[in-house]
Amino acid sequence: MTGIRNIVVLTGAGISAESGIDTFRSEGGLWEQHRVEDVATPEGFARDPDLVLRFYDMRREAIQTKLPNPAHQALARLDAAWKGELLIVTQNVDDLHERAGARRVLHMHGTHLNAWCTACDTRSPWTGPMIDRPPCPSCGARALRPDVVWFGEMPYEMDRIYGAIRQADLFVSIGTSGAVYPAAGFVRDARELRVRTLELNLERSQGSHWFHESRQGPASRLVPEWVN
Ligand SMILES: CC(C)NC(=O)[C@H](Cc1c[nH]c2ccccc12)NC(=O)[C@H](CCCC/N=C(/NCCC(=O)O)S[C@H]1O[C@H](COP(=O)(O)OP(=O)(O)OC[C@H]2O[C@@H](n3cnc4c(N)ncnc43)[C@H](O)[C@@H]2O)[C@@H](O)[C@H]1O)NC(=O)OCc1ccccc1
């Protein structure tokens, strides 16, 4: 990676697939089992909060039984060793990047392991279910929701992400189908800023044509190969 000082890495569900976490659009994926508009929109939550809380309780419980895979571990090694700027922007709400040891991680779509109180706006670490409406640890109100970004809601820390892309020499996209915006538009933003772009994905994604280079294969092989 000669001549490369600042790197932005975007990850999606594909990097956690080999850890046994369902992706969204694959055969039998999450969006085959549930209608997006029912479980991942503010309107769906208002319409049927039990359905939504049960959906996220199920995923939050499952994620805590999974382990990081060689792709997460390779990025954690890179994070520990890289002297230049590095930002791992993940669309994933799991904590496998951090459990692999990565530190420079930004969850643009939130995290499973936080509860967000819609009464006092506090976010608190959370590992248990929400279906039985537990009280907010801060204000006691029974108004918790998952701290995830639903469709139609603004992703987190967009300024920090765009700032990192502007400073980047290299933009790498791992395990994402390029179907959801604004994340799917980052490669185009990077190209317009003359940033080198690389895709590591099981198959070509909806945005593959925007990348200087696209490598196909499982993340557990491609990411360690790229890092080493
Ligand atoms: C469906 C789509 C058309 N709709 C959108 O994009 C919408 C609307 C929209 C906005 N701008 C647009 C422009 C055009 C069209 C539509 C829009 N976007 C929004 O509503 C966003 C909010 C979207 C966030 C929704 N929340 C999620 N997640 C959290 C909850 C939860 O997790 O339940 S999205 C969720 O789905 C997406 C899933 O995509 P992937 O992660 O890529 O997973 P997928 O299964 O699709 O693909 C997996 C890939 O991995 C590969 N793979 C599989 N196994 C492996 C393997 N082993 N190794 C390597 N690769 C592998 C596969 O080949 C595949 O390519 C992720 O983003 C994930 O976080 N908010 C917003 O726009 O606010 C205003 C705004 C506008 C501008 C600037 C600021 C704000």
Side-chain angles (χ1 to χ4, degrees), residues 12-15 17-18 23-26 31 40 55-56 59 91-93 109 148-155 158 162 175-183 200-205 217-220:
I15 199 170
E18 294 164 88
T23 62
F24 291 76
R25 283 171 182 73
S26 57
W31 294 154
F55 172 65
Y56 285 97
R59 290 171 62 194
Q91 300 167 78
N92 300 342
V93 292
H109 292 164
V148 297
V149 176
W150 284 326
F151 287 92
E153 295 183 324
M154 174 75 84
M158 288 301 293
Y162 285 130
T176 185
S177 59
V180 173
Y181 288 78
L200 306 176
N201 214 53
L202 195 61
E203 61 210 343
R204 292 183 67 76
S205 71
S220 63

Side-chain angles (χ1 to χ4, degrees), residues 106-117:
L106 186 162
H107 286 262
M108 72 177 291
H109 292 164
T111 167
H112 264 312
L113 300 176
N114 266 0
W116 180 11
C117 178

